[in-house]
Amino acid sequence: MKKEKKPIPHWKFKLHEVIYEADTPAGKFFDIAILIVIIISVALVMMESVSSLLYEYAWQFYIAEWIITAIFTIEYILRIIAINKPKRYIFSFYGIVDLLSTLPSYIGFIFGGTNLLFAIRALRLLRIFRVLKITRYIGESRRLMLALRNSKAKILVFLFAVLIICIIAGTLMHLVEGRGSGFDNIPLSIYWCIVTLTTVGFGDIAPITPLGRLIASIIMITGYGIIAVPTGIVSAEFSKATKPITNTQVCPNCNEGRHLDNAEYCHNCGFKLNE
Amino acid sequence: MKKEKKPIPHWKFKLHEVIYEADTPAGKFFDIAILIVIIISVALVMMESVSSLLYEYAWQFYIAEWIITAIFTIEYILRIIAINKPKRYIFSFYGIVDLLSTLPSYIGFIFGGTNLLFAIRALRLLRIFRVLKITRYIGESRRLMLALRNSKAKILVFLFAVLIICIIAGTLMHLVEGRGSGFDNIPLSIYWCIVTLTTVGFGDIAPITPLGRLIASIIMITGYGIIAVPTGIVSAEFSKATKPITNTQVCPNCNEGRHLDNAEYCHNCGFKLNE
Amino acid sequence: MKKEKKPIPHWKFKLHEVIYEADTPAGKFFDIAILIVIIISVALVMMESVSSLLYEYAWQFYIAEWIITAIFTIEYILRIIAINKPKRYIFSFYGIVDLLSTLPSYIGFIFGGTNLLFAIRALRLLRIFRVLKITRYIGESRRLMLALRNSKAKILVFLFAVLIICIIAGTLMHLVEGRGSGFDNIPLSIYWCIVTLTTVGFGDIAPITPLGRLIASIIMITGYGIIAVPTGIVSAEFSKATKPITNTQVCPNCNEGRHLDNAEYCHNCGFKLNE
Amino acid sequence: MKKEKKPIPHWKFKLHEVIYEADTPAGKFFDIAILIVIIISVALVMMESVSSLLYEYAWQFYIAEWIITAIFTIEYILRIIAINKPKRYIFSFYGIVDLLSTLPSYIGFIFGGTNLLFAIRALRLLRIFRVLKITRYIGESRRLMLALRNSKAKILVFLFAVLIICIIAGTLMHLVEGRGSGFDNIPLSIYWCIVTLTTVGFGDIAPITPLGRLIASIIMITGYGIIAVPTGIVSAEFSKATKPITNTQVCPNCNEGRHLDNAEYCHNCGFKLNE
């Protein structure tokens, strides 16, 4: 692997095209192949966590893990070779994810252990973020993200308000229900309030006193009512995103494209629009 | 049943009108009669599943089943006779449903068994899809389906994101809560995450450790917040679908196309609109 | 109480004004007074259901009941006297409610019994519908009802679809989970499906088998996703109701008030609108 | 501290600027410092409620409490000194909260007790409302509040309807399920109805009889359906609030009032708009 100072050797250019891009058939194939390996690897981690399966198919899991680790290692090396400035990949989000999901397998093979080992192996699940990358094929996801990003500030304010409601209601419930009834301390009561306000309602903790049940009712109705807030925010955002300004006129003078439906003159330069 | 090469014999034409169409009184009557038989048959399958009822009214159920099977068999045969190209019906969705919901009863009568028999008989429930057909009478359902179909891509992306959140959060919960607390393996933890994120919250499995409860709180608040996303998508779609101006009149004078539903004169040039 | 054939005696007119209308101070006072008695009566029925309270304050409840029954009886008689055509009141919805909520108390006093007696007395709760009448003071409720009524057809179609999903999913769960696990028969499984799909999730019945849990996950995600449908329907309806046509032009010729934003001619009579 | 009749001494003016305003760096620093102390104080109250922590770190909590009480006391005195008309602060909402959250600590130190003491100390949590004040930095919260305030009347009507549904359904469930099944009295049944209608579903109380389960199903589906109402209300309100055209410019030439936010020329007559 002689390091040439000439622009980029052809094989490197080709490799980059296959590994980093998805325009060519080979690039698409590589992406899908890696995706399948990731899904298999995620499925393996899940199955290994089932005790009965782990004991029965111990060595099959062992072999499968070696194969997957090998594939990911090769992919990692190829990605470093294929790029001109490897640091750009190594320290990128996906670069770190790739390293974190490959390296621990080796550590796991060298050292033993059961619980820690598994926790380390579960890091491989991080690769699932890679799957998210395929959403770039689906144009819709960009619009979804945009609508969510636009309403981020409003949603944060809302969640902040929810948290304060939960802290106050949780403290109240702790004082009303007292110890020994599941509301033993304030953090636990706040946890219960979140469970209740979000309408999840596990039922492992439930109020017993009449006053506690009254407060619980108020919390529930509040939660039932204010779910409208994030929904309203995102709905409004989507409405805006899907029917912004439906006019397709473009100003022949300044090329401005956003016009009101009944516009006769360009709002940007005052040029007469021809309909 | 001589096969004539002449167009279609009158009785066949008549039969087709009654069985496949709903424009004539006879056709409407046939549709409603079959609908009632289906509903009775569905009710019977439900009641048979209740042990106490099954033991008490064993032979009544037996007779009712024979009658319903007979009716469905006759209907199936009539449908094949009435149509000119029977294959078109036999291999259509409703044709397969009709066969699948009639045939097993005969198999059940021939062979015995209790559990398997019931499972086979439950296939008759498939006929319920036929009930959906009546929704064609209700124009609203078409609009609902349209709005859902338009937002299908966005909703799939959303469900995909929900699934990835559940996989990562489920693995995390398994590692945090450990074995013996209901989070025994990752698939189970993912199941719990889905139960929690969708705000169902059965409570058969619930976190016990403080850290597990903290993660659970985050999952719950996430679920409470992101329910806004499908809602927002569908709301925006409905808003678009029910936009006030659905009038298709076009002014014969100035060609203006947007008119109120009750417009009699063009709002743009004052010309009388012909309806 | 001589029955005069002359129009309406003054006292009867006055009484009608007080009892049936709410424009005069006396009428308002009467309405509010009856409202308070109804709320007290509802509160009494609630408290009587609490065993400990019933035993302790038995005769106080007895007296309170007599007083309330007396007030309602007097009100009922007055309402019959005050109106010119008593049948119109007696056979109206509120007339029947008033009778049904007064009569049983007398039956209860004559015959004894405990359980049945209470069930009969609970009929008095029907009066609570009267409270709904005060909502006529709140203009908003009319708009709410209108939006709900407009989307009734769509919501019914939706609920019908939900029911069919529950029937099929319930049968499936019954077959998968089998007897002895809470999914003992199909109606019970359908009940569980409704509990799950609506994201209530009591947890008294929960799937145990992996396949059952997989189906449950699908039901939950479906329920989480399709809650968007009624929300979307009603949202769109409200959007329409709150920002219909914002134009405030009124045709000087035909007085038509609904015009498109850019209307220059009245869509009703073709008259030129002055802006 | 001589009381001068001259306008406001410079140090008082300075102090006011630091304590009550957030425009200067010192003012911002003071706000953030107090915020951090409040958060620490809230965290302390939470931790003290955990028995194990309280016993282990008893004296650390004691000292921390003294320090925080001292800081709040100094802040309270400074706020009174800094303002020209102290009564305006003392009897304001935040003035009362500040007093209520400081005074009890002293009472707690003087008298002993454990349960009551804690309840009193928990009053300090009221300070959390102060945190809400920082939301003034986030412009979004104002818009959220506005949308909620505008839909207040509609939401109240809705909650009132929910309450009446719960009262009637609760009475029905009490009568159907009878005593000994968790639906022992009407208030309890109403509590259960609220739990169910809001789709929380704890599961500590659940219907057992078939009829009870049928009613429960209806309640659940109602709750699942009518959640659309508050959501629809708030969505419509948000849509209105975020409508694309919020521009208040009016064309000086043709008086056209609807312009895009970035319009520079009137879209109707092409006249230059002055901003």
Side-chain angles (χ1 to χ4, degrees):
Chain A
M1 231 189 290
K2 279 183 290 172
K3 213 175 173 188
E4 296 163 342
K5 283 290 165 199
K6 276 171 281 176
I8 310 161
H10 184 68
W11 64 266
K12 206 166 173 176
F13 184 82
K14 258 283 151 87
L15 199 65
H16 184 273
E17 204 178 68
V18 170
I19 293 177
Y20 285 96
E21 284 161 50
D23 303 333
T24 57
K28 254 183 196 155
F29 175 80
F30 181 82
D31 266 34
I32 291 164
I34 282 293
L35 212 73
I36 290 167
V37 177
I38 289 172
I39 290 167
I40 291 171
S41 125
V42 166
L44 273 175
V45 172
M46 280 187 204
M47 286 191 291
E48 273 179 71
S49 76
V50 184
S51 316
S52 58
L53 283 176
L54 184 59
Y55 291 130
E56 203 170 337
Y57 303 100
W59 68 267
Q60 283 96 328
F61 279 126
Y62 194 81
I63 289 170
E65 221 163 284
W66 263 118
I67 294 169
I68 282 165
T69 306
I71 294 172
F72 283 165
T73 309
I74 292 165
E75 191 215 346
Y76 190 69
I77 292 167
L78 282 179
R79 276 188 190 272
I80 291 176
I81 293 172
I83 211 164
N84 226 21
K85 292 174 184 166
K87 278 181 187 170
R88 264 190 140 172
Y89 163 68
I90 293 169
F91 297 106
S92 73
F93 176 70
Y94 287 114
I96 292 164
V97 161
D98 286 356
L99 187 68
L100 277 176
S101 60
T102 313
L103 208 65
S105 293
Y106 291 102
I107 299 170
F109 290 128
I110 299 166
F111 306 98
T114 50
N115 267 326
L116 189 76
L117 185 69
F118 179 75
I120 281 170
R121 267 206 298 254
L123 270 172
R124 218 192 290 148
L125 267 179
L126 283 174
R127 285 248 172 177
I128 216 164
F129 284 114
R130 231 1 147 57
V131 183
L132 283 176
K133 242 184 167 174
I134 65 152
T135 56
R136 84 189 131 162
Y137 298 128
I138 310 159
E140 299 294 349
S141 72
R142 229 185 47 222
R143 269 210 246 172
L144 275 179
M145 290 311 283
L146 195 77
L148 277 180
R149 201 167 302 153
N150 282 348
S151 40
K152 204 180 67 179
K154 283 207 204 75
I155 285 179
L156 278 179
V157 170
F158 169 72
L159 290 183
F160 183 69
V162 164
L163 204 71
I164 286 181
I165 291 173
C166 285
I167 288 173
I168 290 170
T171 308
L172 216 61
M173 286 304 285
H174 171 63
L175 293 174
V176 165
E177 288 283 317
R179 300 193 177 190
S181 63
F183 297 86
D184 289 347
N185 54 57
I186 294 182
L188 202 56
S189 297
I190 292 173
Y191 163 72
W192 176 87
C193 273
I194 294 173
V195 170
T196 303
L197 196 84
T198 57
T199 77
V200 173
F202 285 130
D204 53 344
I205 310 169
I208 299 163
T209 62
L211 186 57
R213 279 174 165 159
L214 185 67
I215 298 171
S217 299
I218 295 167
I219 297 171
M220 280 178 258
I221 288 180
T222 306
Y224 188 67
I226 62 172
I227 202 172
V229 175
T231 307
I233 295 167
V234 178
S235 288
E237 210 56 56
F238 275 117
S239 294
K240 231 170 33 182
T242 49
K243 53 163 179 178
I245 278 148
T246 48
N247 195 301
T248 55
Q249 289 177 99
V250 172
C251 173
N253 185 38
C254 72
N255 221 26
E256 168 72 22
R258 288 173 75 246
H259 296 286
L260 282 172
D261 281 353
N262 60 337
E264 283 179 38
Y265 293 88
C266 174
H267 67 85
N268 195 41
C269 66
F271 201 85
K272 182 93 175 77
L273 297 170
N274 37 343
E275 277 171 275
Chain B
M1 227 189 292
K2 280 184 288 173
K3 212 176 175 190
E4 296 163 344
K5 285 288 165 200
K6 277 171 280 177
I8 310 160
H10 184 67
W11 63 266
K12 205 166 176 177
F13 184 83
K14 257 280 149 89
L15 199 63
H16 184 274
E17 203 178 69
V18 170
I19 293 176
Y20 285 96
E21 284 162 50
D23 303 334
T24 57
K28 254 184 196 153
F29 175 80
F30 180 82
D31 267 33
I32 291 164
I34 282 292
L35 211 72
I36 290 167
V37 177
I38 290 172
I39 289 167
I40 292 171
S41 125
V42 167
L44 273 175
V45 172
M46 280 188 205
M47 286 191 291
E48 273 179 70
S49 76
V50 183
S51 317
S52 58
L53 284 176
L54 184 60
Y55 291 130
E56 203 169 339
Y57 302 101
W59 68 267
Q60 284 96 327
F61 278 126
Y62 194 80
I63 289 170
E65 221 161 286
W66 264 118
I67 295 169
I68 282 166
T69 306
I71 294 172
F72 283 165
T73 310
I74 292 165
E75 191 214 345
Y76 189 69
I77 293 166
L78 282 179
R79 275 186 191 273
I80 290 175
I81 294 172
I83 210 163
N84 226 20
K85 293 176 184 163
K87 278 181 188 170
R88 262 191 142 172
Y89 163 68
I90 292 169
F91 297 107
S92 72
F93 175 70
Y94 287 115
I96 292 164
V97 161
D98 286 356
L99 187 70
L100 276 176
S101 60
T102 313
L103 208 67
S105 295
Y106 290 102
I107 299 170
F109 289 128
I110 298 165
F111 306 98
T114 49
N115 267 326
L116 190 74
L117 184 70
F118 180 76
I120 282 169
R121 264 205 300 256
L123 271 172
R124 216 191 293 146
L125 267 180
L126 283 173
R127 285 250 172 177
I128 215 165
F129 284 114
R130 220 25 131 53
V131 183
L132 283 176
K133 243 186 169 174
I134 65 153
T135 56
R136 83 191 132 164
Y137 298 128
I138 309 159
E140 298 295 349
S141 73
R142 230 187 43 224
R143 268 208 247 173
L144 274 180
M145 291 311 284
L146 196 77
L148 276 180
R149 201 167 303 153
N150 282 348
S151 40
K152 204 180 65 180
K154 284 207 204 73
I155 285 178
L156 279 179
V157 170
F158 169 72
L159 290 183
F160 182 69
V162 163
L163 204 71
I164 287 181
I165 291 173
C166 285
I167 288 174
I168 290 170
T171 308
L172 216 61
M173 286 303 286
H174 171 63
L175 293 174
V176 165
E177 288 282 318
R179 300 192 176 191
S181 64
F183 296 88
D184 288 348
N185 54 56
I186 293 181
L188 202 57
S189 296
I190 291 173
Y191 163 71
W192 176 87
C193 273
I194 293 173
V195 171
T196 305
L197 195 84
T198 57
T199 77
V200 173
F202 285 130
D204 52 344
I205 310 170
I208 299 163
T209 62
L211 187 56
R213 280 175 165 158
L214 185 67
I215 298 170
S217 299
I218 294 167
I219 296 171
M220 280 179 256
I221 288 180
T222 306
Y224 187 67
I226 62 172
I227 202 171
V229 175
T231 307
I233 294 167
V234 178
S235 288
E237 210 56 57
F238 275 117
S239 293
K240 236 174 20 186
T242 57
K243 265 198 294 192
I245 289 138
T246 51
N247 194 303
T248 56
Q249 290 177 99
V250 172
C251 174
N253 186 38
C254 71
N255 221 26
E256 168 74 21
R258 288 173 75 246
H259 296 287
L260 282 173
D261 280 353
N262 59 338
E264 282 180 37
Y265 293 88
C266 175
H267 67 85
N268 195 41
C269 66
F271 200 84
K272 182 94 176 77
L273 297 170
N274 37 343
E275 276 171 277
Chain C
M1 229 189 291
K2 280 184 290 173
K3 213 178 175 189
E4 296 162 342
K5 283 288 164 203
K6 277 169 283 176
I8 310 159
H10 184 69
W11 63 265
K12 206 167 172 176
F13 184 83
K14 258 283 148 89
L15 200 63
H16 185 274
E17 204 178 67
V18 170
I19 292 176
Y20 285 96
E21 285 161 51
D23 303 334
T24 57
K28 255 183 195 153
F29 175 81
F30 180 82
D31 267 35
I32 290 164
I34 283 292
L35 211 73
I36 289 166
V37 177
I38 290 172
I39 290 167
I40 290 170
S41 126
V42 167
L44 273 176
V45 172
M46 281 188 205
M47 285 191 292
E48 273 179 70
S49 76
V50 184
S51 317
S52 57
L53 283 176
L54 184 60
Y55 292 131
E56 203 170 339
Y57 302 100
W59 68 267
Q60 284 97 327
F61 278 126
Y62 194 81
I63 290 170
E65 222 161 285
W66 264 119
I67 295 170
I68 282 167
T69 305
I71 294 173
F72 283 165
T73 310
I74 293 166
E75 191 215 346
Y76 189 70
I77 294 166
L78 282 178
R79 276 186 189 272
I80 291 175
I81 295 171
I83 211 164
N84 227 20
K85 293 174 183 165
K87 277 181 189 169
R88 262 193 142 169
Y89 163 68
I90 292 169
F91 297 106
S92 73
F93 175 70
Y94 287 115
I96 293 164
V97 161
D98 286 356
L99 187 68
L100 276 176
S101 60
T102 313
L103 210 65
S105 294
Y106 291 103
I107 299 169
F109 288 129
I110 298 165
F111 307 97
T114 49
N115 266 328
L116 190 76
L117 184 71
F118 180 75
I120 282 168
R121 264 205 302 255
L123 270 172
R124 216 190 293 146
L125 266 179
L126 283 173
R127 285 249 171 179
I128 216 165
F129 284 113
R130 222 24 132 53
V131 184
L132 283 176
K133 242 185 168 174
I134 65 154
T135 56
R136 82 190 133 167
Y137 298 128
I138 309 160
E140 299 295 350
S141 73
R142 231 188 41 225
R143 268 209 248 173
L144 274 180
M145 291 311 284
L146 195 77
L148 276 180
R149 200 168 303 154
N150 282 348
S151 40
K152 205 181 64 181
K154 283 206 204 73
I155 284 178
L156 279 178
V157 170
F158 170 72
L159 289 183
F160 182 69
V162 163
L163 205 70
I164 287 182
I165 291 172
C166 284
I167 288 174
I168 290 170
T171 309
L172 215 62
M173 286 303 286
H174 171 62
L175 293 173
V176 166
E177 288 282 318
R179 300 196 175 187
S181 64
F183 296 87
D184 288 347
N185 54 57
I186 294 182
L188 201 57
S189 296
I190 292 172
Y191 163 72
W192 176 86
C193 273
I194 293 173
V195 171
T196 305
L197 196 84
T198 57
T199 77
V200 172
F202 284 131
D204 51 345
I205 310 168
I208 299 163
T209 62
L211 187 57
R213 280 174 166 157
L214 185 67
I215 298 170
S217 298
I218 294 166
I219 297 171
M220 280 178 257
I221 286 180
T222 306
Y224 187 67
I226 63 173
I227 203 172
V229 175
T231 307
I233 295 166
V234 178
S235 287
E237 210 55 58
F238 274 118
S239 292
K240 228 167 40 179
T242 50
K243 51 160 179 180
I245 278 148
T246 49
N247 196 302
T248 56
Q249 288 178 100
V250 173
C251 174
N253 185 39
C254 70
N255 222 27
E256 167 72 22
R258 288 174 74 244
H259 296 287
L260 282 174
D261 282 353
N262 58 336
E264 282 179 39
Y265 292 87
C266 175
H267 66 86
N268 195 41
C269 66
F271 202 84
K272 182 94 176 78
L273 298 169
N274 37 343
E275 280 172 271
Chain D
M1 231 190 288
K2 280 183 288 170
K3 213 178 175 189
E4 297 162 342
K5 283 288 164 200
K6 278 170 281 175
I8 310 160
H10 184 67
W11 63 266
K12 207 167 174 176
F13 184 83
K14 259 285 151 86
L15 200 63
H16 184 274
E17 203 178 66
V18 170
I19 293 176
Y20 285 96
E21 285 161 50
D23 304 333
T24 57
K28 255 182 196 156
F29 175 80
F30 180 82
D31 266 34
I32 291 165
I34 282 293
L35 210 73
I36 290 167
V37 176
I38 289 172
I39 290 167
I40 291 171
S41 125
V42 166
L44 272 175
V45 172
M46 282 187 202
M47 285 191 291
E48 273 178 71
S49 76
V50 183
S51 317
S52 57
L53 284 176
L54 184 61
Y55 292 130
E56 202 170 341
Y57 303 100
W59 68 268
Q60 284 95 328
F61 278 125
Y62 194 82
I63 289 170
E65 221 162 284
W66 264 118
I67 294 169
I68 282 165
T69 306
I71 294 172
F72 283 165
T73 310
I74 292 166
E75 191 215 345
Y76 189 70
I77 293 168
L78 283 178
R79 276 187 189 272
I80 292 176
I81 294 173
I83 211 164
N84 226 20
K85 293 173 183 167
K87 278 181 188 171
R88 266 192 137 169
Y89 162 67
I90 292 168
F91 296 107
S92 73
F93 176 70
Y94 287 114
I96 292 164
V97 162
D98 286 356
L99 187 68
L100 277 175
S101 59
T102 314
L103 209 65
S105 294
Y106 290 103
I107 298 169
F109 289 128
I110 297 166
F111 306 98
T114 50
N115 267 326
L116 189 77
L117 184 70
F118 180 75
I120 282 169
R121 264 205 302 253
L123 270 172
R124 217 193 289 148
L125 267 179
L126 283 173
R127 286 247 170 179
I128 217 165
F129 284 114
R130 229 7 142 56
V131 183
L132 283 175
K133 242 184 166 174
I134 64 153
T135 57
R136 84 189 131 164
Y137 298 129
I138 310 159
E140 298 296 349
S141 74
R142 231 187 43 224
R143 270 210 246 173
L144 274 179
M145 290 312 283
L146 196 76
L148 276 180
R149 201 167 302 152
N150 282 348
S151 41
K152 204 180 65 181
K154 283 206 204 75
I155 284 177
L156 279 178
V157 170
F158 169 73
L159 290 183
F160 183 68
V162 163
L163 205 70
I164 286 182
I165 292 173
C166 284
I167 288 173
I168 290 170
T171 309
L172 216 62
M173 285 304 286
H174 171 63
L175 293 173
V176 166
E177 288 283 318
R179 296 189 183 194
S181 64
F183 296 87
D184 289 347
N185 54 58
I186 294 182
L188 202 56
S189 297
I190 292 172
Y191 163 71
W192 176 86
C193 274
I194 294 173
V195 170
T196 305
L197 195 84
T198 56
T199 77
V200 172
F202 284 131
D204 52 345
I205 309 169
I208 299 163
T209 63
L211 187 57
R213 279 174 166 158
L214 185 67
I215 299 170
S217 298
I218 294 166
I219 297 171
M220 278 178 259
I221 287 179
T222 307
Y224 187 67
I226 63 173
I227 203 173
V229 175
T231 306
I233 296 166
V234 178
S235 287
E237 210 55 58
F238 275 118
S239 293
K240 232 170 31 183
T242 57
K243 265 197 297 194
I245 289 140
T246 51
N247 195 302
T248 57
Q249 289 177 99
V250 173
C251 173
N253 185 39
C254 71
N255 222 27
E256 167 73 22
R258 288 173 74 244
H259 297 286
L260 284 172
D261 281 354
N262 59 337
E264 282 180 36
Y265 292 87
C266 175
H267 67 86
N268 195 41
C269 66
F271 201 83
K272 182 93 177 78
L273 298 169
N274 38 343
E275 278 171 273

